[in-house]
Amino acid sequence: MSFFSFGQSAEIDVVLNDAETRKKVEHKTEDGKKDKYFLFYDGETVSGKVNVTLKSPGKRFEHQGIKVEFIGQIELYYDRGNHHEFVSLVKDLARPGELTQSQTFDFEFTHVEKPYESYTGQNVKLRYFLRTTISRRMNDISKETDIVVHTLSTYPELNSSIKMEVGIEDCLHIEFEYNKSKYHIKDVIVGKIYFLLVRIKIKHMEIGIIKRETTGTGPNVYHENDTIAKYEIMDGAPVRGESIPIRLFLAGYEMTPTMRDINKKFSVRYYLNLVLIDDEERRYFKQQEITLWRKGDVVRKSMSHQASIASQRFEGLPSGEKPSAQAQEDSN
């Protein structure tokens, strides 16, 4: 956003160096709409040009300095006065002085650490942006340019299955099993439900994915649950010994990777929610947390340095293990 008032006589435009080739992705804004932004990964350099255009060329334009900042910031909607910055880098483009004609300034933030994924939720927003500021005695001129960051992960081969039981003594005993506990966000959840004891009349069964956003700490903790997907497993009464297969495709839903205790401000977790409804409309349910991650599978040779940085920070990497190359997000 740019802020202009009477008497200011310059406009700011920011152009990234690789704007013509860099991928853009859709990202939800605070008002629920979607806009397209340039996509970056952890460790990538952010560079470009700042164009300062004078509205009245030839006339003196005095300023107290020109700078560009790269900022990673968390904003809690219930505490909008406080912005929590976890990345803050500054490049001075010009010392105090004056301009008599439009001018272009180059900037570069090399191998920038971007530890978290961009996120817009119900109560919190995590964003990365460039803020260009022309300092003036009366009113500064400022422009913010947002980018989107995706975090890529390579999970170890060990990915245990999930086995759980749902039971009411002497009435109902169900076991359900999912093929693994960690899924990439375009994965397929495969499972099976076994009916070991059925003495109540079940008329309907469904499985859902619930996103739980948690913000705040201590007594000021807020939980927001959002049903991302709902899938009908069965319509009718099962019998003892029956088994029902489950296949739930995640690619059709909008989900982020699991985000745990991000900068000690918020978390985003996902749960499989199994719901049974009997003929008297009583509901029985069981939840199980799953871990979602963003898959990378095409190695980008040009990013070997950045890849090493990102891999070393991956929380699941055992100490002493050689970090794997960062990979490009699956384009499918």
Side-chain angles (χ1 to χ4, degrees), residues 174-187:
I174 297 174
E175 288 184 354
F176 58 102
E177 181 177 358
Y178 303 113
N179 59 332
K180 49 191 178 182
S181 56
K182 300 181 178 75
Y183 298 89
H184 64 79
I185 58 176
K186 295 179 182 178
D187 215 335

Side-chain angles (χ1 to χ4, degrees), residues 283-300:
R283 300 171 68 89
Y284 312 90
F285 65 92
K286 185 83 169 183
Q287 288 188 357
Q288 171 65 38
E289 184 177 2
I290 57 174
T291 299
L292 296 184
W293 53 286
R294 191 178 295 280
K295 184 180 181 181
D297 61 359
V298 180
V299 175
R300 293 190 291 182

